[in-house]
Amino acid sequence: MRLIIVGTGVMAKNQLDHFTRIDGVEVVGAVDSDANRLAAFADKWGIEKRFLSLDEAIAWGDFDAASNVTPDRVHHPTTLALIAAGKHVFCEKPLAENYEKALEMTEAAERAGVINMVNLTYRNVAPLQRARQMVLAGEIGTVKHVEASYLQSWLVSKAWGDWRTESTWLWRLSTGHGSNGVLGDVGIHILDFAAYGAATDIDHVFARLKTFNKAPGGQIGEYMLDANDSFAMSVDFANGALGVIHASRWATGHLNELKLRIYGERGGLEVMHRTGESELRGCVGDDAESAVWKTIEVAPVPTNYERFVEAVATGVQPDPNFRHAANLQKVLDLAMVTERERKESKV
Ligand SMILES: NC(=O)c1ccc[n+]([C@@H]2O[C@H](COP(=O)([O-])OP(=O)(O)OC[C@H]3O[C@@H](n4cnc5c(N)ncnc54)[C@H](O)[C@@H]3O)[C@@H](O)[C@H]2O)c1
């Protein structure tokens, strides 16, 4: 597969660590509107073709698929252009800034018949996949209650760089730069983590969002720091279970941690994921009486990157596809409405 990378920032480096290890993948081009970032990236990965705009790359056209790693608000126009050129697209999350745009991208991809996938990275977490299998196999009985959290600390810690000076963080703090804050950024990950693990969909939502003042006048240069930093949400699932889901960028001591607890009528499961470290624990069968939790061994699973490459080779649409991400975007949009109206919404 001849692949191009559109957007050569922080996440693109992470993606290439994966794509370049997959047999049959040739990264043949890179696109970025920032010439310095483009040159540094293409030099590091030995990519010959370099373009300052996607239009130039499409005019050249000698590629099968693109990975779209641009900022959130750029996904919509660039993905539509790639689809119109008949290219398969692996798009970063969130698919778009709102449901309307996400749906337009979904319908365009489906009409064109191109392979479309969204990088909900935590599908790569083997314990999550095993937890879902156990739920589907009825090992904990009907799911009744779900707790999920996504904690980051980059507003407190400089471990990932300084949000006060680096554009990669500043655009994430500004609605004018297309960000829906922590809700849009990692909310989509944790909603997917919770609903996929519990093997049911979210059908009602009520959320509270908070934006804390972080700079004099709430502004740094061109960036108004008005996007939410923390959210807390209650949800109903289609199977009748109740859930609480929350996320924050202020969670000191947690660089990047996802946690999911699923309680069924006969047992409980807990999935924990931190960078480079994941675990599944269960309290099932007789252990429910003594409240003993045991680690459950899990086998590795293929990554989204590997599954996208396979989908392009076989022509079979992978999961999570654009339609799934658009449906999650609908929940995120409604969460923002509930914050304004202070009233639960049906998805
Ligand atoms: N799946 C995950 O776990 C995960 C993790 C981090 C980031 N992301 C997503 O990846 C995307 C990129 O995030 P990032 O942290 O790498 O951002 P970034 O700001 O570091 O990089 C984005 C790059 O896109 C370039 N760009 C902007 N407009 C462009 C255009 N029109 N054409 C070509 N290039 C353009 C920028 O110059 C920049 O180099 C975001 O949508 C983000 O939500 C996903």
Side-chain angles (χ1 to χ4, degrees):
M1 179 177 87
R2 291 174 64 80
L3 178 73
I4 66 163
I5 304 294
V6 187
T8 61
V10 174
M11 187 59 191
K13 296 181 187 72
N14 185 314
Q15 284 206 4
L16 277 221
D17 268 341
H18 291 272
F19 274 126
T20 53
R21 287 174 207 198
I22 303 174
D23 279 349
V25 176
E26 222 187 320
V27 181
V28 294
V31 183
D32 202 299
S33 43
D34 180 312
N36 292 333
R37 229 172 278 171
L38 176 65
F41 182 87
D43 287 349
K44 172 169 167 39
W45 294 99
I47 300 168
E48 193 194 331
K49 289 285 182 185
R50 300 154 190 217
F51 305 96
L52 285 168
S53 77
L54 179 60
D55 288 348
E56 291 169 40
I58 289 176
W60 167 65
D62 193 10
F63 61 99
D64 308 305
S67 181
N68 192 341
V69 209
T70 57
D72 301 356
R73 74 168 169 188
V74 184
H75 296 175
H76 174 261
T78 45
T79 295
L80 287 178
L82 287 160
I83 293 169
K87 306 300 181 185
H88 307 296
V89 185
F90 183 75
C91 187
E92 265 308 338
K93 49 50 58 176
L95 191 53
E97 318 99 277
N98 57 48
Y99 176 63
E100 198 186 348
K101 287 184 180 175
L103 187 64
E104 189 186 351
M105 293 157 75
T106 301
E107 290 177 346
E110 289 176 355
R111 259 196 317 273
V114 296
I115 297 295
N116 57 93
M117 188 171 185
V118 173
N119 194 18
L120 293 172
T121 323
Y122 300 101
R123 294 290 185 96
N124 303 343
V125 172
L128 176 71
Q129 297 287 351
R130 181 79 187 100
R132 176 180 167 87
Q133 281 170 6
M134 290 178 71
V135 171
L136 288 172
E139 292 186 41
I140 62 167
T142 305
V143 173
K144 302 290 189 192
H145 190 91
V146 174
E147 268 180 84
S149 61
Y150 193 143
L151 303 178
Q152 295 187 327
S153 53
W154 56 267
L155 286 174
V156 181
S157 147
K158 293 198 183 69
W160 289 355
D162 190 349
W163 59 266
R164 294 166 190 82
T165 54
E166 295 174 19
S167 71
T168 190
W169 304 114
L170 283 164
W171 69 253
R172 285 174 162 81
L173 297 169
S174 168
T175 61
H177 289 76
S179 177
N180 287 321
V182 70
L183 180 74
D185 189 16
V186 305
I188 190 160
H189 279 312
I190 196 65
L191 292 188
D192 184 64
F193 207 71
Y196 187 76
T200 178
D201 294 324
I202 292 169
D203 73 1
H204 281 82
V205 60
F206 177 71
R208 292 295 325 279
L209 316 176
K210 277 261 166 152
T211 309
F212 297 91
N213 191 28
K214 295 178 280 295
Q219 185 164 4
I220 294 180
E222 65 179 277
Y223 299 91
M224 285 300 299
L225 308 183
D226 58 351
N228 57 84
D229 305 330
S230 268
F231 75 79
M233 186 186 281
S234 62
V235 299
D236 280 8
F237 290 94
N239 78 335
L242 189 65
V244 287
I245 303 178
H246 70 105
S248 183
R249 296 163 164 173
W250 289 105
T252 304
H254 302 275
L255 287 181
N256 194 63
E257 180 189 284
L258 291 85
K259 198 174 259 186
L260 171 62
R261 291 179 170 134
I262 311 166
Y263 302 104
E265 57 191 348
R266 283 199 300 280
L269 295 170
E270 181 183 270
V271 181
M272 193 283 302
H273 173 78
R274 298 188 191 104
T275 307
E277 183 193 357
S278 315
E279 189 182 22
L280 174 63
R281 297 195 315 143
C283 179
V284 287
D286 291 345
D287 287 339
E289 298 304 327
S290 46
V292 170
W293 288 79
K294 291 183 183 143
T295 298
I296 298 170
E297 292 304 317
V298 292
V301 294
T303 63
N304 289 345
Y305 309 101
E306 290 166 324
R307 292 189 303 107
F308 176 71
V309 172
E310 191 189 338
V312 170
T314 60
V316 178
Q317 287 295 349
D319 173 54
N321 59 17
F322 281 14
R323 189 159 287 277
H324 177 78
N327 289 341
L328 285 175
Q329 193 62 47
K330 197 177 192 180
V331 181
L332 299 178
D333 287 10
L334 283 172
M336 288 186 271
V337 172
T338 67
E339 163 64 20
R340 282 196 299 277
E341 298 184 353
R342 302 288 163 97
K343 198 167 89 207
E344 186 190 62
S345 258
K346 175 155 174 45
V347 178

